């Protein structure tokens, strides 16, 4: 072969088969000479020359067999090339330097290199440069690269090759050297990608290992799982229980078919308690997320009893960390917990009672700690009286919703068994009251106080029952020996502690009293030497005197004392120093700003037994400035009370005088009809006046105690003004006042109780009438604003001072009283006005320019935007009388005069009247006479009026009679009780006889 066509190529002759393959590829004509040269690693000239040589010798293929054998052709080159190019295995040819001379498509695809890239460097440096463990792989150590120089074949060699992108793939390769004239010139390499096969083999090996490990683990697992000293389960991540050992199921009394397949937290261990189910579910779901969860918890067994367990919820994961299962395991810690809790409880109780200072604290602490520890309904401690019959529960602890049993009881109430056990010192243990006790043997009493199970432990001292401790349960309970022993141990301990603190209480009270003089934070404390100079003072003392401690130290007490109190203070201090006699004095101190501070000062001498010069005077100082001010206010209130009582006496005597005179007149002479009518009118008018005074007093009482019930409706304020003016018109006309009413042009609605708001305006108008001279002027005006409605009452009367304005709405406040101006009233009208207005969420204020310049009172109420009740709501139901007939009426009143007067009045109206002063006699007579109506007093001796009403309703002959209460009890509660007893109507004395007649006319 010519050497000129091999410039730039490795210096060796290409074998005939190779030249034939290149020539055949060129003969196909689908690729240019340049492309084929690049593909086969030769020059374009070589491609063209080998193609021409192929054409020149093509005829030799048709020569005879002898002729063909003498001609060197391409050694089946086309067949070899076709096989190589279409093979799924990689084929490559490598020269003596390790450079790639040829690579088929499969090899290029395996490595990711192009033809140019794979020919650029030795093939080893491209695909075989490192060992699988990452160490560099030298070329001279590679068996494929050694095959040519060492002249050996490589067969079925497994190795790890690298792709262009750095990834690796497993290969099974073979390599054979090519010889030319006995000289090795190239290496042919066959490469098969066995990565997938290797992965399959690895998985198979892993599966075998896993199967072996699983078999070994399962044997260990079953041995471990079925241990009898702990609970073990397996559940899916969603909580479904798929396995549980015998101790978990049968050991707890459950059936396996009731547990497997359910959610773990719905199993019988937890299903009796929603709280437990919620707690276990939360833990199981947290474990399903890959976290180990551990906590101590209560659990149930099949018979319903509770126990304690230390529960661990552990996730079971695969190699990738994915949670496959959750394994709950638990150890029963009931007994250890009981011991631990008992010891802890005893220690806690000991700690709590060791420093307790009073018996109640010990009882409270012990009963609370025992009750919570045993999870019972109630725990009580009782002292027993000396006669061993009465016992007192001074304090008990109760669970939420349970009633306290504190009080005094007799042992016999709880049955013979309980009484005998207590007196003999035996602990009473009842697990089921209904099953163990008869109704007459204490079961009834236990059931009344909600007890179904009890431990009651007596303490007997010197043969006498001294104390008892009991725990109660609202449900039957199987008490354990530990629980019984705990109560027995605690009753003795508690009694010892209680008696100890009781014996020391008197001494401690004395000590506490003494220490409080020094330690009370509300008192100022100062120490002085016997010359009266301050040597120490606490912060409270400094604040009281408005000086710092530094300013007070060394200062004489005389400098701090008000001049008016100096002489007495000095005298008392001298006696203290001379005789050691403590003293207490109320005196004034002078603050730094010159203000006086009232103080109660208790001074005692503290002697130093070692040295007379060390004696000090200790002063405990209480600020009583506010008390002194309060005393002044009380004096003022007392003065106003005395004035009020005097005015009340005056107001009550005024109507009593004409009533008494009228009574005398009626008794002394026979009056004609005109004089009798005049006398009757006077009595009625004065009674109405007295009734009004009493109603005012009752109104104030009800309002100040919050007993007034409003019945508000939407109402035009002009209606209120109209009603009020009508009620006061007679008084205005009597004093010849000029009344002006200024109404707003538009409607102004307020949400108000009509009766009460009219009462407010009536009181304001009466106030104006009272304090305005005759022929004075009174103006009532309405001012409508967007949010409020104001109505005002203004007069040109005597006016008010600023001091009187500030207290105008206080109880018992009036303008200056004098004997020549007694306009009546008790000083409660304005106080009632303010209270009623505030109940309507309104305000009231008073104004006056001064004495003699008149007054103005303004009420402000919230304005309504639109009506809140239907039209016509103010229409009142009138009693429609029917034709009257003579009735039989029974009057029952222990006040003979009141009964007689009412009887005479009703007889004068044509009715037959029966009078009784005793309830039992009245009941008997009513049964005989069957009255149409009964007028009963409530405050009757023996059987009261309400009881009499119930009895009358129970008698067939009086069941339908009209029952009217006529009483002095006028509170709302009294009215409700009367109506509940069966009364049809309730009247407060003195009764308006017109109302009585109107009711009687309704009887057909």
């Amino acid at each position: 072969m010519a050497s000129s066509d091999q410039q730039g190529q490795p210096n060796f002759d290409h074998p005939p088969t190779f030249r034939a393959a290149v020539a055949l590829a060129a003969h196909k004509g689908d690729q240019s000479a340049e492309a084929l040269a690049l593909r086969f690693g030769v020059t374009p000239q070589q491609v063209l020359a080998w193609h021409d040589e192929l054409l020149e010798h093509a005829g030799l293929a048709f020569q005879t067999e002898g002729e063909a054998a003498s001609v060197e052709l391409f050694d089946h080159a086309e067949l070899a090339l076709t096989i190589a190019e279409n093979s799924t295995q990689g084929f490559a040819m490598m020269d003596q330097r390790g450079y790639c001379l040829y690579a088929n498509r499969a090899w290029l695809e395996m490595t990711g290199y192009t033809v140019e890239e794979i020919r650029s460097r030795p093939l080893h440096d491209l695909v075989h440069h490192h060992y699988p463990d990452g160490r560099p792989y030298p070329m001279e150590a590679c068996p494929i690269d050694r095959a040519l120089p060492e002249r050996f074949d490589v067969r079925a060699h497994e190795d790890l090759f690298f792709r262009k992108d750095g990834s690796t793939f497993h290969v099974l390769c073979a390599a054979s050297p090519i010889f030319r004239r006995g000289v090795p010139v190239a290496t042919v390499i066959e490469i098969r990608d066995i990565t997938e096969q290797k992965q399959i083999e690895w998985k198979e090996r892993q599966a075998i290992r896993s199967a072996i490990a699983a078999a070994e683990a399962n044997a260990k697992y079953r041995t471990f799982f079925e241990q009898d000293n702990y609970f073990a389960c397996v559940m899916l991540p969603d909580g479904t229980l798929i396995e549980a050992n015998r101790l978990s199921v049968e050991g707890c009394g459950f059936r396996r078919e009731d547990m497997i397949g359910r959610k773990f937290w719905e199993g019988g261990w937890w299903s009796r308690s929603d709280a437990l189910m919620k707690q276990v579910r939360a833990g199981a779901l947290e474990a399903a997320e890959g976290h180990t969860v551990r906590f101590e918890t209560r659990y149930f067994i099949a018979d319903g009893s509770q126990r304690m367990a230390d529960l661990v919820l552990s996730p079971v994961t695969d190699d990738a960390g994915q949670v496959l299962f959750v394994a709950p395991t638990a150890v029963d810690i009931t007994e250890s917990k009981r011991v631990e809790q008992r010891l802890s409880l005893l220690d806690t109780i000991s700690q709590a009672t060791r420093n307790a200072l009073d018996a109640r604290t010990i009882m409270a602490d012990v009963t609370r700690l025992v009750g919570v520890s045993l999870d019972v309904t109630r725990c009580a401690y009782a002292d027993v009286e000396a006669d061993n019959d009465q016992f007192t529960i001074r304090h008990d602890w109760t669970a939420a919703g349970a009633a306290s049993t504190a009080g005094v009881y007799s042992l016999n109430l709880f049955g013979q068994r309980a009484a005998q056990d207590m007196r003999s010192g035996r602990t009473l243990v009842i697990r089921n009251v209904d099953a163990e006790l008869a109704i007459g043997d204490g079961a009834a009493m236990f059931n009344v106080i909600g007890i179904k199970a009890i431990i009651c432990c007596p303490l007997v001292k010197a043969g006498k029952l001294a104390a008892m401790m009991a725990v109660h349960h609202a449900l039957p309970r199987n008490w354990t020996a530990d629980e019984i022993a705990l109560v027995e141990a605690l009753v003795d301990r508690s009694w010892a502690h209680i008696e100890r603190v009781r014996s020391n209480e008197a001494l401690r009270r004395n000590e506490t009293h003494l220490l409080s003089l020094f330690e009370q934070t509300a008192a100022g404390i100062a120490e002085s030497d016997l010359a009266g100079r301050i040597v120490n003072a606490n912060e409270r003392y400094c604040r009281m005197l408005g000086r710092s401690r530094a300013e007070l130290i060394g200062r004489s007490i005389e400098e701090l004392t008000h001049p008016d109190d100096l002489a007495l203070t000095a005298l008392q201090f001298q006696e203290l120093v001379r005789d050691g006699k403590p003293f207490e004095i109320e005196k004034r101190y002078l603050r730094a700003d010159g203000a006086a501070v009232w103080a109660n000062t208790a001074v005692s001498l503290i002697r130093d037994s070692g040295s007379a010069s060390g004696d000090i005077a200790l002063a405990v100082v209480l600020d009583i400035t506010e008390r002194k001010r309060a005393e002044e206010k009380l004096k003022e209130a007392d003065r106003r009370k005395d004035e009020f009582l005097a005015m009340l006496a005056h107001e009550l005597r005024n109507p009593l005088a004409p009533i008494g005179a009228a009574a005398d007149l009626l008794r002394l002479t026979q009056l004609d009809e005109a004089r009798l009518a005049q006398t009757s009118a006077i009595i009625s008018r004065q009674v109405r006046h007295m009734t009004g005074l009493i109603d005012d007093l009752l109104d104030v009482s009800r309002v100040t105690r919050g007993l007034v019930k409003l019945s508000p409706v939407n109402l035009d304020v002009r209606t209120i003004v109209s009603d009020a003016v009508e009620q006061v018109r007679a008084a205005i006309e009597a004093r010849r006042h000029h009344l002006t009413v200024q109404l707003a042009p538009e409607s102004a609605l307020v949400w108000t109780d009509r009766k009460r708001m009219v009462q407010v305006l009536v009181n304001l108008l009466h106030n104006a009438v009272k304090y305005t001279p005759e022929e004075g002027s009174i103006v009532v005006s309405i001012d409508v604003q967007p949010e409020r409605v104001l109505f005002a009452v203004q007069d040109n009367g005597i006016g008010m001072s600023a001091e009187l304005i500030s207290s105008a709405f206080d109880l018992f406040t009036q303008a200056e009283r004098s004997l020549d101006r007694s306009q009546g009233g008790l000083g409660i009208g304005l106080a009632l006005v303010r209270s009623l207005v505030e109940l309507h969420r309104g305000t009231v204020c008073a104004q006056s320019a001064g004495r003699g310049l008149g007054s103005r009172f303004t009420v402000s109420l919230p304005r309504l935007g639109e009506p809140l009740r239907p039209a016509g709501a103010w229409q009142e139901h009138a009693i429609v009388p029917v034709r009257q007939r003579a009735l039989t009426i029974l009057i029952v009143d222990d006040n003979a005069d009141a009964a007689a007067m009412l009887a005479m009045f009703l007889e004068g109206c044509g009715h037959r009247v029966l009078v009784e002063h005793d309830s039992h006699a009245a009941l008997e007579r009513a049964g005989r006479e069957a009255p149409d109506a009964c007028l009963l007093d409530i405050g009757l001796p023996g059987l009261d009026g309400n009881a009499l009403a119930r009895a009358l309703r129970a008698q067939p002959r009086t069941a339908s009679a009209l029952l009217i209460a006529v009483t002095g009890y006028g509170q709302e509660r009294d009215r409700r009780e009367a109506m509940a007893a069966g009364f049809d109507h309730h009247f407060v004395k003195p009764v308006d006889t017109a109302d009585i007649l109107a009711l009687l006319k309704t009887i057909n």
Side-chain angles (χ1 to χ4, degrees), residues 640-946:
R640 288 165 53 189
K641 178 202 68 175
D642 290 342
E643 291 182 355
F644 164 75
L645 291 176
M647 182 57 69
L648 177 62
H650 174 273
E651 292 295 324
L652 291 177
R653 287 191 184 101
N654 275 346
L656 286 175
I659 291 174
D664 292 339
L665 180 62
L666 291 172
R667 186 173 62 251
L668 293 176
T669 183
Q670 184 69 31
L671 300 180
D672 56 26
E673 289 188 6
R675 182 61 61 87
L676 183 62
Q678 180 185 11
T679 302
S680 176
I682 291 172
I683 293 174
S684 297
R685 186 164 54 252
Q686 296 305 318
V687 167
R688 285 195 299 272
H689 178 62
M690 290 182 67
T691 301
L693 292 176
I694 294 171
D695 286 344
D696 283 347
L697 287 171
L698 292 176
D699 273 346
V700 170
S701 173
R702 283 192 290 266
V703 170
T704 54
R705 290 187 293 154
L707 299 180
V708 168
K709 297 291 188 289
L710 299 180
S711 301
V713 294
N714 54 311
L715 187 65
D716 192 330
V717 72
R718 293 177 297 186
T719 303
I720 299 172
V721 173
S722 175
D723 289 354
V725 168
E726 182 61 29
Q727 291 188 28
V728 186
R729 184 176 300 279
I732 293 174
E733 292 175 351
R735 294 178 62 82
R736 301 190 301 281
H737 288 145
H738 303 287
L739 176 64
T740 303
V741 179
Q742 300 173 350
L743 301 178
E746 75 266 31
S747 172
L749 297 180
V750 290
W751 186 240
T752 181
D753 183 307
R754 179 174 185 171
K755 174 184 175 182
R756 292 300 183 181
M757 197 47 61
V758 168
Q759 183 181 3
V760 166
L761 190 54
V762 165
N763 282 2
L764 293 177
L765 284 169
H766 272 307
N767 193 72
V769 170
K770 186 188 305 182
Y771 294 110
T772 301
E774 292 187 359
E775 300 185 355
S777 64
I778 299 173
V779 179
V780 179
S781 61
I782 298 176
D783 180 15
V784 180
Q785 299 178 357
E787 301 292 334
R788 312 288 292 181
V789 175
L790 284 69
F791 59 82
V793 176
Q794 185 169 353
D795 62 61
N796 62 351
I798 64 174
M800 293 184 290
S801 64
E803 180 182 1
L804 184 58
I805 291 176
S806 64
S807 61
F809 296 100
D810 293 342
L811 271 175
F812 313 139
T813 298
Q814 284 189 320
E816 182 180 354
R817 297 183 176 93
S818 60
L819 295 177
D820 61 342
R821 189 198 296 122
S822 178
Q823 302 297 338
L826 302 174
I828 59 177
L830 293 182
L832 190 58
V833 164
R834 179 174 64 181
S835 298
L836 291 174
V837 170
E838 289 176 351
L839 284 176
H840 287 82
R841 298 182 180 178
T843 59
V844 61
C845 63
Q847 297 169 294
S848 177
R851 291 186 179 277
L853 299 177
S855 303
R856 177 184 177 91
F857 291 84
T858 304
V859 173
S860 173
L861 297 175
R863 181 184 181 186
L864 289 180
E866 57 186 50
L868 295 180
R869 63 179 286 142
W874 281 114
Q875 295 179 359
E876 298 179 353
H877 298 287
I879 298 175
V880 180
V882 296
R883 191 165 64 89
Q884 184 67 20
R885 65 177 177 84
L887 303 174
T888 299
I889 300 172
L890 172 63
I891 297 176
V892 184
D893 196 329
D894 60 336
N895 186 324
D897 289 344
M901 289 302 298
L902 185 56
M904 285 190 290
F905 172 76
L906 293 175
E907 287 172 347
C909 295
H911 298 294
R912 175 173 175 258
V913 181
L914 313 174
V915 177
E916 292 290 344
H917 307 301
D918 176 75
S919 298
H920 297 285
L923 184 62
E924 181 183 352
R925 189 170 185 184
R928 295 195 313 269
E929 302 284 350
D932 300 294
C934 300
L935 280 65
L936 312 179
D937 184 23
I938 297 296
L940 295 171
L943 192 68
D944 65 29
N946 289 332

Side-chain angles (χ1 to χ4, degrees), residues 209-365:
R209 289 194 201 98
S210 297
I212 295 172
E216 294 174 349
N218 187 56
K220 296 177 182 178
Y221 161 75
R222 295 313 307 181
T223 301
F224 168 79
F225 194 74
E226 291 299 340
Q227 293 290 324
D228 289 334
N229 57 352
Y230 65 89
F231 306 103
C233 302
V234 179
M235 63 181 173
L236 297 176
D238 67 356
T240 302
L241 187 66
I242 61 175
E243 182 61 288
N245 69 355
R246 288 188 298 272
L247 183 62
S248 301
V249 181
E250 290 84 359
C252 292
F254 299 114
R255 299 189 307 170
R256 186 165 296 272
E257 56 267 29
D258 294 334
M259 308 295 277
I260 303 302
R262 300 181 66 181
K263 299 298 183 184
F264 178 63
W265 51 83
E266 294 176 356
W269 307 293
W270 331 107
S271 60
R272 293 172 183 263
S273 167
D274 291 340
L276 284 180
M277 292 175 63
K278 183 177 180 181
Q279 179 188 24
V280 174
R281 180 179 183 274
L285 296 180
E286 184 178 353
E289 295 177 356
H291 307 289
T292 298
V293 180
R294 181 175 184 175
F295 55 89
E296 293 181 356
T297 179
R298 294 180 295 121
Y299 74 96
F300 293 90
I301 60 177
D303 65 5
S305 59
Q306 296 185 50
R307 299 184 69 82
M308 286 293 296
D310 182 4
L311 177 64
V312 180
L313 300 165
S314 303
V316 180
T317 62
D318 58 16
D319 292 340
Q322 181 70 28
V323 176
L324 302 176
F325 308 101
V326 174
T329 57
V331 177
D332 187 286
I333 57 172
T334 304
E335 295 307 319
S336 61
K337 274 294 179 183
R338 284 174 179 169
V339 173
E340 177 186 330
Q341 289 174 356
R342 181 178 177 184
L343 294 176
S344 175
L345 177 62
L346 292 175
D347 182 64
T348 302
I349 291 174
S350 179
Q351 293 292 336
T353 58
R354 179 178 294 117
N355 299 320
L357 299 179
D358 62 89
R360 184 174 181 81
T361 299
I362 294 176
M363 294 179 193
D365 288 341

Side-chain angles (χ1 to χ4, degrees), residues 102 147 248 518 536 578 618 735 782 912 970 998:
Y102 169 74
S248 301
F518 296 90
N536 197 9
R578 183 181 68 245
L618 179 70
R735 294 178 62 82
I782 298 176
R912 175 173 175 258

Side-chain angles (χ1 to χ4, degrees), residues 3-183:
S3 62
S4 60
D5 62 354
Q6 299 177 15
Q7 295 176 359
Q9 297 300 320
N11 188 19
F12 63 87
D13 292 335
H14 292 281
T17 55
F18 179 80
R19 295 199 305 271
V22 175
L24 286 171
H27 186 71
K28 289 181 178 180
D30 57 354
Q31 287 182 298
S32 66
E34 288 77 15
L36 291 172
L38 182 62
R39 174 182 172 187
F40 292 100
V42 296
T43 65
Q45 292 80 5
Q46 288 176 310
V47 174
L48 293 173
W50 294 339
H51 182 252
D52 291 340
E53 189 176 5
L54 173 65
L55 293 176
E56 181 181 349
H57 298 88
L60 296 178
F62 300 95
Q63 294 179 354
T64 64
E65 184 176 349
E67 292 173 333
S70 63
V71 178
E72 181 181 21
L73 202 56
F74 290 103
D75 300 327
H76 308 289
E78 184 172 7
L79 177 61
L81 181 62
T82 301
I83 292 172
E85 286 299 309
N86 291 281
S87 176
T88 59
Q89 310 301 324
F91 288 100
M93 184 180 291
M94 189 171 63
D95 64 16
Q96 293 169 316
R97 299 178 304 159
Y99 281 82
C100 188
L101 298 173
Y102 169 74
N104 71 345
R105 286 194 299 269
W107 177 237
L108 293 175
E109 290 172 358
M110 285 183 195
T111 61
Y113 288 105
T114 65
V115 173
E116 295 86 350
E117 291 171 337
I118 208 164
R119 294 184 62 234
S120 63
R121 295 168 60 191
L123 191 59
H124 180 84
D125 293 344
L126 293 173
V127 300
H128 206 196
H129 42 75
H130 282 81
Y131 285 107
D133 61 6
R135 292 179 292 115
Y137 198 160
M139 187 173 179
E140 58 271 16
C142 178
I144 297 173
D145 289 291
R146 290 166 47 208
L148 182 62
E150 297 181 16
R151 301 187 181 193
F152 65 86
D153 292 331
V154 178
R155 293 287 181 264
H157 172 69
E158 290 189 10
D159 217 326
L160 189 70
F161 280 5
F162 292 85
R163 297 186 182 91
K164 176 183 177 180
D165 61 8
S167 61
T168 61
F169 60 103
H170 290 274
V171 297
L172 179 66
C173 56
S176 299
I178 299 176
F179 297 90
R180 188 172 182 82
R181 300 181 184 91
V183 178

Side-chain angles (χ1 to χ4, degrees), residues 505-583:
E505 276 183 355
L507 178 61
R508 187 169 60 252
R509 281 196 296 268
N510 292 335
E511 291 175 349
T512 301
H513 177 71
L514 180 62
L515 289 175
S516 68
L517 297 177
F518 296 90
E519 296 173 358
Q520 58 187 323
T521 58
I525 300 176
E527 296 177 351
S528 72
D529 59 21
L530 299 189
R533 290 184 298 271
I534 293 177
V535 297
N536 197 9
N538 70 353
E539 184 62 27
R540 175 61 179 160
Y541 187 85
C542 297
R543 289 199 305 269
M544 285 173 57
L545 272 65
R547 293 179 170 87
S548 67
R549 185 176 283 104
E551 292 174 328
L552 288 172
I553 300 302
R555 191 181 289 268
S556 171
I557 293 176
E558 293 181 355
E559 300 177 47
L560 305 173
T561 302
H562 192 280
D564 293 345
D565 301 326
L566 188 57
L568 181 58
T569 301
L571 177 62
Q572 296 275 22
F573 193 81
Q574 290 170 7
E575 292 180 356
L576 172 74
V577 173
R578 183 181 68 245
D579 303 328
K581 180 181 178 181
F583 68 91

